[in-house]
Coordinates of all heavy atoms in Angstrom, one line a residue:
K115 N 60.4 -50.4 -10.8 CA 58.9 -50.5 -11.0 C 58.6 -51.8 -11.8 O 59.3 -52.1 -12.8 CB 58.4 -49.3 -11.8 CG 58.6 -48.0 -11.0 CD 58.1 -46.8 -11.8 CE 58.2 -45.5 -11.1 NZ 57.8 -44.3 -11.9
E116 N 57.5 -52.4 -11.4 CA 57.1 -53.6 -12.2 C 56.3 -53.2 -13.4 O 55.9 -52.0 -13.6 CB 56.1 -54.4 -11.3 CG 56.8 -55.1 -10.1 CD 55.9 -56.0 -9.4 OE1 55.1 -55.6 -8.5 OE2 55.9 -57.2 -9.7
G117 N 56.2 -54.1 -14.4 CA 55.5 -53.9 -15.6 C 56.4 -53.8 -16.8 O 57.6 -54.1 -16.8
F118 N 55.8 -53.3 -17.9 CA 56.6 -53.2 -19.2 C 57.2 -51.8 -19.4 O 56.7 -50.8 -18.9 CB 55.6 -53.5 -20.4 CG 55.1 -54.9 -20.4 CD1 53.8 -55.2 -19.9 CD2 55.9 -55.9 -21.0 CE1 53.4 -56.5 -20.0 CE2 55.4 -57.2 -21.1 CZ 54.1 -57.5 -20.5
S119 N 58.4 -51.9 -20.0 CA 59.1 -50.6 -20.4 C 59.9 -50.9 -21.7 O 60.2 -52.0 -22.0 CB 60.0 -50.2 -19.3 OG 61.0 -51.1 -19.0
T120 N 60.2 -49.8 -22.4 CA 61.1 -49.9 -23.6 C 62.4 -49.2 -23.3 O 62.4 -48.0 -23.0 CB 60.4 -49.3 -24.8 OG1 59.1 -50.0 -25.0 CG2 61.2 -49.5 -26.0
E121 N 63.4 -50.0 -23.3 CA 64.8 -49.4 -23.0 C 65.7 -49.7 -24.2 O 66.1 -50.8 -24.5 CB 65.3 -50.1 -21.8 CG 64.4 -50.0 -20.6 CD 64.9 -50.8 -19.4 OE1 66.0 -51.3 -19.4 OE2 64.1 -50.9 -18.4
G122 N 65.9 -48.6 -25.0 CA 66.7 -48.7 -26.2 C 66.1 -49.6 -27.2 O 64.9 -49.4 -27.6
N123 N 66.7 -50.7 -27.6 CA 66.2 -51.6 -28.6 C 65.5 -52.8 -27.9 O 65.2 -53.8 -28.5 CB 67.3 -52.1 -29.5 CG 67.7 -51.1 -30.5 OD1 66.9 -50.2 -30.8 ND2 69.0 -51.1 -30.9
Y124 N 65.2 -52.7 -26.6 CA 64.7 -53.8 -25.8 C 63.3 -53.5 -25.2 O 63.1 -52.4 -24.7 CB 65.6 -54.3 -24.7 CG 66.8 -55.0 -25.2 CD1 68.0 -54.3 -25.7 CD2 66.8 -56.4 -25.4 CE1 69.1 -55.0 -26.2 CE2 67.9 -57.1 -25.9 CZ 69.0 -56.4 -26.3 OH 70.1 -57.1 -26.8
R125 N 62.5 -54.5 -25.3 CA 61.2 -54.4 -24.6 C 61.4 -55.3 -23.3 O 61.8 -56.4 -23.4 CB 60.1 -55.0 -25.4 CG 58.7 -55.1 -24.8 CD 58.1 -53.7 -24.8 NE 56.6 -53.8 -24.4 CZ 55.9 -52.8 -24.1 NH1 56.5 -51.6 -24.1 NH2 54.6 -52.9 -23.8
V126 N 61.2 -54.6 -22.1 CA 61.6 -55.3 -20.9 C 60.3 -55.4 -20.0 O 59.5 -54.5 -19.9 CB 62.6 -54.4 -20.1 CG1 63.0 -55.1 -18.8 CG2 63.9 -54.3 -21.0
F127 N 60.2 -56.6 -19.4 CA 59.2 -56.9 -18.4 C 59.8 -57.1 -17.1 O 60.7 -58.0 -16.9 CB 58.4 -58.1 -18.8 CG 57.3 -58.5 -17.8 CD1 56.2 -57.7 -17.5 CD2 57.4 -59.7 -17.1 CE1 55.3 -58.0 -16.6 CE2 56.5 -60.1 -16.2 CZ 55.4 -59.3 -15.9
T128 N 59.4 -56.4 -16.1 CA 59.9 -56.5 -14.7 C 58.9 -57.1 -13.8 O 57.8 -56.6 -13.8 CB 60.4 -55.1 -14.2 OG1 61.3 -54.5 -15.1 CG2 61.0 -55.2 -12.8
K129 N 59.3 -58.0 -13.0 CA 58.4 -58.7 -12.1 C 59.1 -58.9 -10.7 O 60.2 -59.3 -10.6 CB 58.0 -60.1 -12.6 CG 57.0 -60.9 -11.8 CD 56.7 -62.2 -12.5 CE 55.7 -63.0 -11.6 NZ 54.4 -62.3 -11.4
K130 N 58.3 -58.6 -9.7 CA 58.8 -58.7 -8.3 C 58.6 -60.1 -7.8 O 57.5 -60.7 -8.0 CB 58.1 -57.7 -7.4 CG 58.6 -57.7 -5.9 CD 57.8 -56.7 -5.2 CE 58.3 -56.6 -3.7 NZ 57.5 -55.6 -2.9
I131 N 59.6 -60.8 -7.2 CA 59.5 -62.2 -6.8 C 59.9 -62.2 -5.3 O 61.0 -61.8 -4.9 CB 60.4 -63.1 -7.6 CG1 60.0 -63.0 -9.1 CG2 60.3 -64.5 -7.1 CD1 60.9 -63.8 -10.0
D132 N 59.1 -62.8 -4.5 CA 59.4 -63.0 -3.0 C 59.9 -64.5 -2.9 O 59.1 -65.4 -3.1 CB 58.2 -62.7 -2.2 CG 57.8 -61.3 -2.2 OD1 58.7 -60.5 -2.1 OD2 56.6 -60.9 -2.3
L133 N 61.1 -64.6 -2.4 CA 61.6 -65.9 -2.1 C 62.0 -66.1 -0.6 O 63.1 -65.9 -0.2 CB 62.9 -66.1 -3.0 CG 62.7 -66.1 -4.5 CD1 64.1 -66.1 -5.2 CD2 61.9 -67.2 -5.0
G134 N 61.0 -66.3 0.1 CA 61.2 -66.4 1.6 C 61.6 -65.1 2.2 O 60.9 -64.1 2.2
D135 N 62.8 -65.1 2.7 CA 63.4 -63.8 3.3 C 64.0 -62.9 2.3 O 64.6 -61.9 2.7 CB 64.4 -64.2 4.4 CG 65.5 -65.0 3.9 OD1 65.4 -65.5 2.7 OD2 66.6 -65.1 4.6
T136 N 64.0 -63.3 1.1 CA 64.7 -62.5 0.0 C 63.6 -62.0 -1.0 O 62.8 -62.8 -1.5 CB 65.7 -63.3 -0.7 OG1 66.7 -63.8 0.3 CG2 66.5 -62.4 -1.7
T137 N 63.8 -60.7 -1.4 CA 62.9 -60.2 -2.5 C 63.8 -59.8 -3.6 O 64.8 -59.0 -3.4 CB 62.1 -59.0 -2.0 OG1 61.2 -59.4 -0.9 CG2 61.3 -58.4 -3.1
I138 N 63.5 -60.2 -4.8 CA 64.3 -59.9 -6.0 C 63.4 -59.4 -7.1 O 62.2 -59.6 -7.0 CB 65.2 -61.1 -6.5 CG1 64.3 -62.2 -7.0 CG2 66.2 -61.5 -5.4 CD1 65.0 -63.3 -7.6
F139 N 64.0 -58.7 -8.0 CA 63.3 -58.3 -9.2 C 63.8 -59.0 -10.4 O 65.0 -59.0 -10.7 CB 63.4 -56.8 -9.4 CG 62.6 -56.0 -8.4 CD1 63.3 -55.5 -7.2 CD2 61.3 -55.6 -8.6 CE1 62.6 -54.8 -6.3 CE2 60.6 -54.9 -7.7 CZ 61.2 -54.5 -6.5
L140 N 62.9 -59.6 -11.1 CA 63.3 -60.3 -12.4 C 63.0 -59.4 -13.6 O 61.9 -59.0 -13.7 CB 62.6 -61.7 -12.5 CG 62.7 -62.4 -13.8 CD1 64.2 -62.8 -14.1 CD2 61.8 -63.6 -13.9
R141 N 64.0 -59.2 -14.4 CA 63.8 -58.4 -15.6 C 64.1 -59.2 -16.8 O 65.2 -59.7 -17.0 CB 64.7 -57.1 -15.6 CG 64.2 -56.1 -14.6 CD 65.2 -55.1 -14.2 NE 65.9 -54.5 -15.3 CZ 65.5 -53.5 -16.1 NH1 64.3 -53.0 -15.9 NH2 66.2 -53.0 -17.1
V142 N 63.1 -59.4 -17.7 CA 63.2 -60.2 -18.9 C 63.1 -59.3 -20.1 O 62.2 -58.5 -20.2 CB 62.1 -61.3 -19.0 CG1 62.3 -62.1 -20.2 CG2 62.1 -62.2 -17.7
G143 N 64.2 -59.3 -20.9 CA 64.2 -58.3 -22.0 C 64.3 -59.1 -23.4 O 64.9 -60.1 -23.4
K144 N 63.8 -58.4 -24.4 CA 63.9 -59.0 -25.7 C 64.0 -57.9 -26.8 O 63.4 -56.9 -26.7 CB 62.7 -59.9 -26.0 CG 62.8 -60.8 -27.3 CD 61.6 -61.7 -27.4 CE 61.7 -62.6 -28.6 NZ 60.6 -63.5 -28.7
D145 N 64.9 -58.1 -27.7 CA 65.2 -57.2 -28.8 C 63.9 -56.9 -29.6 O 63.2 -57.9 -30.0 CB 66.3 -57.7 -29.7 CG 66.8 -56.6 -30.6 OD1 66.0 -55.7 -31.0 OD2 68.0 -56.7 -31.0
I146 N 63.5 -55.6 -29.8 CA 62.3 -55.3 -30.5 C 62.5 -55.0 -32.0 O 61.6 -54.5 -32.6 CB 61.6 -54.1 -29.8 CG1 62.5 -52.9 -29.8 CG2 61.1 -54.5 -28.4 CD1 61.8 -51.6 -29.3
S147 N 63.7 -55.3 -32.5 CA 64.0 -55.0 -33.9 C 63.0 -55.7 -34.8 O 62.4 -55.2 -35.8 CB 65.4 -55.4 -34.3 OG 66.3 -54.6 -33.5
D148 N 62.7 -57.0 -34.5 CA 61.8 -57.8 -35.3 C 60.4 -57.2 -35.2 O 59.6 -57.2 -36.1 CB 61.8 -59.2 -34.8 CG 60.9 -60.1 -35.6 OD1 61.1 -60.2 -36.9 OD2 59.9 -60.7 -35.0
L149 N 60.0 -56.8 -33.9 CA 58.7 -56.2 -33.7 C 58.5 -54.9 -34.5 O 57.5 -54.7 -35.2 CB 58.5 -55.9 -32.2 CG 57.1 -55.3 -31.8 CD1 56.0 -56.2 -32.1 CD2 57.2 -54.9 -30.4
M150 N 59.6 -54.1 -34.5 CA 59.5 -52.8 -35.3 C 59.5 -53.1 -36.8 O 58.7 -52.4 -37.5 CB 60.8 -52.0 -34.9 CG 60.9 -51.6 -33.5 SD 59.5 -50.5 -33.0 CE 59.9 -49.0 -34.0
E151 N 60.2 -54.1 -37.2 CA 60.2 -54.5 -38.6 C 58.8 -54.9 -39.1 O 58.3 -54.5 -40.1 CB 61.2 -55.5 -38.9 CG 61.3 -56.0 -40.4 CD 61.7 -54.8 -41.3 OE1 62.4 -53.9 -40.9 OE2 61.2 -54.8 -42.5
R152 N 58.1 -55.7 -38.2 CA 56.8 -56.2 -38.5 C 55.8 -55.0 -38.6 O 54.9 -54.9 -39.4 CB 56.3 -57.2 -37.5 CG 57.1 -58.5 -37.7 CD 56.8 -59.5 -36.5 NE 55.4 -60.0 -36.6 CZ 54.9 -60.8 -35.6 NH1 55.6 -61.1 -34.6 NH2 53.7 -61.2 -35.7
S153 N 56.0 -54.1 -37.7 CA 55.1 -52.9 -37.6 C 55.4 -52.0 -38.9 O 54.4 -51.5 -39.4 CB 55.4 -52.0 -36.4 OG 55.1 -52.8 -35.2
R154 N 56.6 -51.9 -39.3 CA 56.9 -51.1 -40.5 C 56.3 -51.7 -41.7 O 55.8 -51.0 -42.6 CB 58.4 -50.9 -40.7 CG 59.0 -49.8 -39.8 CD 60.4 -49.5 -40.3 NE 61.4 -50.5 -40.0 CZ 62.1 -50.6 -38.9 NH1 61.9 -49.7 -38.0 NH2 62.9 -51.6 -38.7
R155 N 56.4 -53.1 -41.8 CA 55.8 -53.8 -43.0 C 54.3 -53.6 -43.0 O 53.7 -53.4 -44.0 CB 56.1 -55.2 -42.9 CG 57.6 -55.6 -43.3 CD 57.7 -57.0 -43.8 NE 57.4 -57.9 -42.7 CZ 58.2 -58.4 -41.9 NH1 59.5 -58.1 -42.0 NH2 57.9 -59.3 -40.9
L156 N 53.7 -53.6 -41.8 CA 52.3 -53.4 -41.7 C 51.9 -52.0 -42.1 O 50.9 -51.8 -42.8 CB 51.8 -53.7 -40.2 CG 50.4 -54.0 -39.9 CD1 49.9 -55.2 -40.7 CD2 50.1 -54.2 -38.4
L157 N 52.7 -51.0 -41.7 CA 52.4 -49.6 -42.0 C 52.6 -49.4 -43.5 O 51.8 -48.7 -44.2 CB 53.3 -48.7 -41.3 CG 53.2 -47.2 -41.6 CD1 51.8 -46.7 -41.2 CD2 54.2 -46.4 -40.8
S158 N 53.6 -50.1 -44.1 CA 53.8 -50.0 -45.6 C 52.7 -50.5 -46.4 O 52.2 -50.0 -47.4 CB 55.1 -50.7 -46.0 OG 56.2 -50.1 -45.4
M159 N 52.1 -51.7 -45.9 CA 51.0 -52.3 -46.5 C 49.8 -51.3 -46.4 O 49.0 -51.2 -47.4 CB 50.6 -53.6 -45.9 CG 51.7 -54.7 -46.2 SD 51.4 -56.2 -45.2 CE 49.8 -56.7 -45.8
Y160 N 49.6 -50.7 -45.3 CA 48.5 -49.8 -45.1 C 48.6 -48.6 -46.1 O 47.6 -48.2 -46.7 CB 48.5 -49.3 -43.6 CG 47.6 -48.2 -43.3 CD1 46.2 -48.4 -43.2 CD2 48.0 -46.8 -43.1 CE1 45.3 -47.4 -43.0 CE2 47.1 -45.8 -42.8 CZ 45.8 -46.1 -42.8 OH 44.9 -45.1 -42.5
L161 N 49.8 -48.0 -46.2 CA 50.0 -46.9 -47.0 C 49.8 -47.2 -48.5 O 49.2 -46.5 -49.3 CB 51.4 -46.2 -46.8 CG 51.6 -45.6 -45.4 CD1 53.1 -45.1 -45.3 CD2 50.7 -44.5 -45.2
L162 N 50.3 -48.4 -48.9 CA 50.2 -48.9 -50.3 C 48.7 -49.1 -50.6 O 48.2 -48.8 -51.7 CB 50.9 -50.2 -50.5 CG 52.4 -50.1 -50.7 CD1 53.1 -51.4 -50.8 CD2 52.7 -49.3 -52.0
L163 N 47.9 -49.6 -49.6 CA 46.5 -49.8 -49.8 C 45.8 -48.5 -50.1 O 45.0 -48.4 -50.9 CB 45.9 -50.5 -48.6 CG 44.4 -50.7 -48.6 CD1 44.0 -51.6 -49.7 CD2 43.9 -51.2 -47.2
I164 N 46.2 -47.4 -49.3 CA 45.6 -46.1 -49.5 C 45.9 -45.6 -50.9 O 45.1 -45.0 -51.6 CB 46.1 -45.1 -48.4 CG1 45.7 -45.6 -47.0 CG2 45.6 -43.7 -48.7 CD1 44.2 -45.7 -46.8

Side-chain angles (χ1 to χ4, degrees):
K115 295 180 181 178
E116 291 189 275
F118 291 98
S119 61
T120 301
E121 302 173 11
N123 287 332
Y124 285 87
R125 179 77 167 164
V126 179
F127 175 65
T128 304
K129 183 177 177 62
K130 183 179 179 181
I131 302 175
D132 291 317
L133 300 172
D135 60 345
T136 305
T137 299
I138 64 172
F139 289 92
L140 171 63
R141 285 161 49 81
V142 181
K144 193 173 182 179
D145 194 333
I146 58 174
S147 298
D148 181 59
L149 178 64
M150 296 298 291
E151 181 60 29
R152 291 171 69 183
S153 297
R154 277 195 292 269
R155 284 201 300 266
L156 200 59
L157 179 61
S158 298
M159 290 172 62
Y160 172 73
L161 294 176
L162 280 174
L163 176 63
I164 298 300

